[in-house]
Amino acid sequence: MKKVGNQTYRIENPVTILETACIVGPKESGGPLAKDFDKCVEDEFYGESSWEKAESRFIKDTVDTVISKSGIPSSKIDACYAGDLLNQCISSSFGLRELNIPFFGIFGACSTFVESLILGSIGVDGNFFENVLCAASSHFCSAEKQFRFPLELGNQRPPTAQWTVTGSGACILSKSGSGPYITHITPGKIVDMGIKDANSMGAAMAPAAIDTIITHFKDTGRSPNYYDGIFTGDLGYIGKEIVIEMTKSKGYNLKNNYNDCGVLIFDKEKQDTHSGGSGCACCASVFSGHLFKKLKDKKLKRILLIATGALTNSTTSQQGESIPGIAHAVSIEI
Amino acid sequence: MKKVGNQTYRIENPVTILETACIVGPKESGGPLAKDFDKCVEDEFYGESSWEKAESRFIKDTVDTVISKSGIPSSKIDACYAGDLLNQCISSSFGLRELNIPFFGIFGACSTFVESLILGSIGVDGNFFENVLCAASSHFCSAEKQFRFPLELGNQRPPTAQWTVTGSGACILSKSGSGPYITHITPGKIVDMGIKDANSMGAAMAPAAIDTIITHFKDTGRSPNYYDGIFTGDLGYIGKEIVIEMTKSKGYNLKNNYNDCGVLIFDKEKQDTHSGGSGCACCASVFSGHLFKKLKDKKLKRILLIATGALTNSTTSQQGESIPGIAHAVSIEI
């Protein structure tokens, strides 16, 4: 490892993303990326009796799938880093309680997946672990129930609202392997620009994304053109526009090669998700399904993946607080 | 770093615990360890308008205190690992949003403090970071409101219930320094023995503690006598007894040098806390206040600190789920 600039670290013995898996729900299965997912589940309940149990099953089955695809026995996986959006991260802890692998629960809201990649890379590059498992999940119904209103109320959603992705993405990072490699990590700081609208998360999280993206470019000396693709996790249409405009005003032109996983996962015309997808599983499933395949096929050779999280809950909203955001970035290259 | 046994890692360039700080609430200020805390706050609200904002202020002021005591400018602290018990870890993210240090939110329930020490040690030993900040908080009133009943209801608490510690503990880990050192880490697995009583957390978490303690002894070849003191985080009186009995049945005698931070922090006779203290701040404040002082004074030279967490919430309890536990351990030596 070598520190680069203020806040970025170059992984000297690049960490291989050995394998990925993702399982998604019915809405995602009707979207443009459906063919890239390992499994599309047609039942929001996934055969369980509650939304929370369904979400736990999504992460459990996704993790079982990635372990099975990797061919690495779970006894050779040294640690698991996982988290989700539910109170006390119960999707991960219940879904993964039979895993029998040392477990680090993490919470970065929708930035959780990239947070897990960063912490996992530190553990592998730091010579602690041979193989680690990184995973995150979210569920539209459990998230609506917990953060906004139970679906049964039939509340209207404003145009700035995003649609929480139902599903899970997971990957195995390894000391040995032939890539794609995690080559740089830029962990983010908490950024709070005072936005208070819990139905406009893209706007609330965009300042953190901008901070981390610009920090990454300054630290590495790279320009946006260095990457074949730059992807934020779940800023949606509104957040994406803010990122393009604000980075442009700072001298970085992202227009040619930047997109957002929340924009990619749903069809704007046919699937009425308003401002696009969100949730831990948005970045996790789009990366683990879509982007990882493109990296393996060498259609993408260098990407910057930035997941953003809104570090808020319904209590803080009700108490009149603003919404702090955070964004973590990793460079992935072949 | 060197892997020792299955699940333990020896830190080859030992990580120094450079400085600690802790601030506690009124109940803790009336307990036997009061003189060891940096600040005892007489107002449960800490001058704020809600329990959640009060808890955020506890962690904010504690982190400010440890940075100030350490003499290290915050610009030289490379990362912060923090978490708490509140939904979406809002105490940490709101309390630390002005910190301007790359932030990793973690969730290990009451095991959070030791989880932060483990992840922080990996970051420092792995040569990523020079200095990192680890912190955790909890608050009796916000925890009762969120996990059980609002205090205004005046509910009775059963004798197995524990009292969530109000306060926060924080420390700075550094590559340079003359100890006390973190010398071994044993991250834990999720263990669920099927206990469902949300008012008997000590019993629910004890199996995870036993699993991690015995794993640590097997991995290192050490016996309980190696340590001057073995401390669990917040098992309280009931969990402590279970640990002593169950480890004895496996051939490990902990009777002479084992205690629990939840037993130490309150006076059993004078302070009616039933089964003792609990919460992220229990282990965090007893370590950062009491145990760290004893290590600095060489009254303790080798300790094993094991923090336990119940990975549950009120939704899972209401859905009839059992309570998965986890326990993370670190050896600290001078």
Side-chain angles (χ1 to χ4, degrees):
Chain A
M1 192 291 313
K2 188 177 183 334
K3 190 168 183 178
V4 181
N6 285 327
Q7 208 173 314
T8 300
Y9 302 85
R10 187 167 71 222
I11 312 277
E12 298 278 89
N13 307 302
V15 173
T16 283
I17 304 176
L18 203 63
E19 191 52 272
T20 62
C22 56
I23 300 180
V24 297
K27 187 107 177 170
E28 296 70 23
S29 311
L33 305 184
K35 64 177 193 321
D36 289 335
F37 302 128
D38 289 280
K39 186 172 170 185
C40 291
V41 175
E42 284 308 315
D43 165 23
E44 295 267 16
F45 274 111
Y46 206 168
E48 301 291 333
S49 57
S50 73
W51 306 126
E52 292 80 12
K53 291 185 188 198
E55 188 179 332
S56 282
R57 188 164 166 206
F58 271 103
I59 193 166
K60 178 182 192 309
D61 284 5
T62 304
V63 162
D64 289 349
T65 304
V66 77
I67 292 175
S68 149
K69 281 171 77 177
S70 76
I72 294 181
S74 65
S75 59
K76 297 274 183 200
I77 299 173
D78 301 304
C80 172
Y81 301 76
D84 56 274
L85 290 177
L86 295 183
N87 297 342
Q88 288 70 51
C89 302
I90 50 164
S91 171
S92 315
S93 49
F94 281 80
L96 306 179
R97 64 180 148 173
E98 286 149 22
L99 199 58
N100 204 31
I101 294 174
F103 182 83
F104 297 115
I106 59 174
F107 181 77
C110 305
S111 75
T112 295
F113 184 66
V114 174
E115 184 183 341
S116 77
L117 296 182
I118 290 180
L119 291 172
S121 299
I122 292 174
V124 172
D125 181 78
N127 273 321
F128 280 79
F129 307 130
E130 287 281 329
N131 303 294
V132 301
L133 178 64
C134 301
S137 70
S138 56
H139 193 300
F140 174 70
C141 309
S142 63
E144 287 300 305
K145 170 182 163 185
Q146 183 184 273
F147 288 105
R148 283 162 287 262
F149 297 98
L151 295 178
E152 292 83 348
L153 280 179
N155 276 66
Q156 279 195 307
R157 308 167 66 247
T160 53
Q162 292 175 244
W163 191 281
T164 305
V165 167
T166 297
S168 170
C171 68
I172 290 178
L173 307 184
S174 181
K175 192 187 278 292
S176 34
S178 52
Y181 301 108
I182 296 180
T183 59
H184 290 76
I185 58 174
T186 306
K189 298 173 177 178
I190 301 175
V191 177
D192 188 344
M193 298 297 277
I195 288 174
K196 293 191 175 189
D197 181 356
N199 270 309
S200 189
M201 289 295 189
M205 299 188 293
I210 295 159
D211 186 72
T212 299
I213 290 170
I214 291 178
T215 298
H216 177 84
F217 289 140
K218 283 189 177 160
D219 284 349
T220 57
R222 294 177 174 177
S223 72
N225 293 335
Y226 176 85
Y227 291 103
D228 300 328
I230 297 169
F231 302 93
T232 45
D234 66 336
L235 293 177
Y237 290 95
I238 293 168
K240 179 184 165 182
E241 285 312 308
I242 297 171
V243 166
I244 291 173
E245 268 186 48
M246 293 297 296
T247 48
K248 193 179 166 195
S249 77
K250 306 266 183 185
Y252 297 92
N253 177 15
L254 265 59
K255 207 141 192 179
N256 302 324
N257 55 353
Y258 162 57
N259 216 329
D260 180 77
C261 298
V263 167
L264 291 167
I265 194 167
F266 296 120
D267 186 304
K268 193 175 186 180
E269 306 306 321
K270 295 185 200 148
Q271 297 184 294
D272 179 26
T273 59
H274 296 352
S275 190
S278 67
C280 298
C282 186
C283 170
S285 65
V286 172
F287 173 75
S288 303
H290 186 60
L291 298 175
F292 184 71
K293 279 201 175 69
K294 283 193 182 266
L295 285 160
K296 287 296 262 188
D297 295 346
K298 302 198 166 125
K299 286 176 186 160
L300 289 173
K301 291 183 177 173
R302 296 162 167 179
I303 70 168
L304 182 65
L305 183 69
I306 312 107
T308 50
L311 303 173
T312 179
N313 74 9
S314 56
T315 304
T316 59
S317 291
Q318 286 159 11
Q319 292 180 1
E321 280 286 7
S322 55
I323 302 173
I326 193 161
H328 297 295
V330 288
S331 302
I332 302 169
E333 306 182 58
I334 55 171
Chain B
M1 191 292 313
K2 189 177 183 331
K3 189 169 183 179
V4 181
N6 285 326
Q7 206 174 315
T8 300
Y9 302 85
R10 187 168 69 223
I11 313 277
E12 299 277 90
N13 307 302
V15 174
T16 284
I17 303 175
L18 203 63
E19 192 53 271
T20 63
C22 56
I23 300 180
V24 297
K27 186 107 176 171
E28 296 69 23
S29 310
L33 305 184
K35 65 179 191 322
D36 289 334
F37 302 128
D38 289 281
K39 186 172 169 184
C40 291
V41 176
E42 284 308 314
D43 165 24
E44 295 268 14
F45 275 110
Y46 206 166
E48 301 290 333
S49 57
S50 73
W51 306 127
E52 292 80 12
K53 291 184 187 199
E55 188 179 332
S56 282
R57 188 165 168 206
F58 271 103
I59 194 166
K60 180 182 190 307
D61 284 4
T62 304
V63 161
D64 289 348
T65 304
V66 76
I67 292 174
S68 147
K69 281 171 77 176
S70 76
I72 294 182
S74 66
S75 60
K76 296 275 182 200
I77 299 174
D78 302 303
C80 171
Y81 301 76
D84 57 273
L85 290 177
L86 295 184
N87 298 341
Q88 289 70 52
C89 301
I90 49 164
S91 171
S92 315
S93 48
F94 281 80
L96 306 178
R97 64 181 149 174
E98 286 149 22
L99 200 57
N100 204 31
I101 294 175
F103 182 82
F104 297 115
I106 59 173
F107 180 76
C110 306
S111 74
T112 295
F113 184 66
V114 173
E115 184 182 341
S116 76
L117 296 182
I118 289 179
L119 291 172
S121 299
I122 292 174
V124 172
D125 181 79
N127 273 321
F128 281 78
F129 307 130
E130 288 282 329
N131 304 295
V132 301
L133 177 63
C134 301
S137 69
S138 57
H139 194 300
F140 174 71
C141 308
S142 62
E144 287 299 306
K145 169 182 165 185
Q146 184 184 273
F147 288 106
R148 285 164 286 264
F149 298 99
L151 294 178
E152 293 82 348
L153 280 178
N155 277 65
Q156 278 195 309
R157 307 168 66 247
T160 54
Q162 293 174 243
W163 191 280
T164 305
V165 167
T166 297
S168 171
C171 67
I172 290 177
L173 307 185
S174 181
K175 194 187 276 292
S176 34
S178 52
Y181 300 109
I182 295 181
T183 59
H184 290 77
I185 57 172
T186 306
K189 299 173 175 177
I190 301 175
V191 176
D192 187 343
M193 298 297 277
I195 288 174
K196 292 190 175 188
D197 182 356
N199 269 309
S200 188
M201 290 295 190
M205 299 188 294
I210 294 160
D211 186 70
T212 299
I213 291 170
I214 291 179
T215 298
H216 177 84
F217 288 140
K218 282 188 177 161
D219 284 350
T220 56
R222 294 176 174 177
S223 71
N225 293 335
Y226 177 85
Y227 291 104
D228 300 329
I230 297 169
F231 301 93
T232 46
D234 66 337
L235 294 177
Y237 289 96
I238 293 168
K240 178 185 165 182
E241 285 311 308
I242 296 171
V243 166
I244 291 174
E245 267 185 48
M246 292 296 296
T247 48
K248 193 179 165 196
S249 77
K250 307 267 185 187
Y252 297 92
N253 178 16
L254 265 60
K255 206 139 194 182
N256 302 325
N257 54 353
Y258 163 57
N259 217 329
D260 180 78
C261 298
V263 166
L264 291 167
I265 195 168
F266 295 121
D267 186 303
K268 193 175 186 181
E269 307 304 321
K270 294 185 200 148
Q271 296 183 295
D272 181 25
T273 59
H274 296 351
S275 190
S278 68
C280 298
C282 186
C283 169
S285 65
V286 172
F287 173 75
S288 303
H290 185 60
L291 298 175
F292 184 71
K293 280 203 174 70
K294 282 193 182 266
L295 285 159
K296 288 296 261 187
D297 294 346
K298 303 199 165 128
K299 285 176 186 160
L300 288 172
K301 291 184 176 171
R302 299 162 165 180
I303 70 167
L304 182 65
L305 182 69
I306 312 108
T308 51
L311 302 172
T312 181
N313 75 9
S314 55
T315 305
T316 60
S317 291
Q318 285 159 13
Q319 292 182 0
E321 280 285 8
S322 54
I323 301 170
I326 195 161
H328 296 295
V330 287
S331 302
I332 302 168
E333 307 181 58
I334 55 170

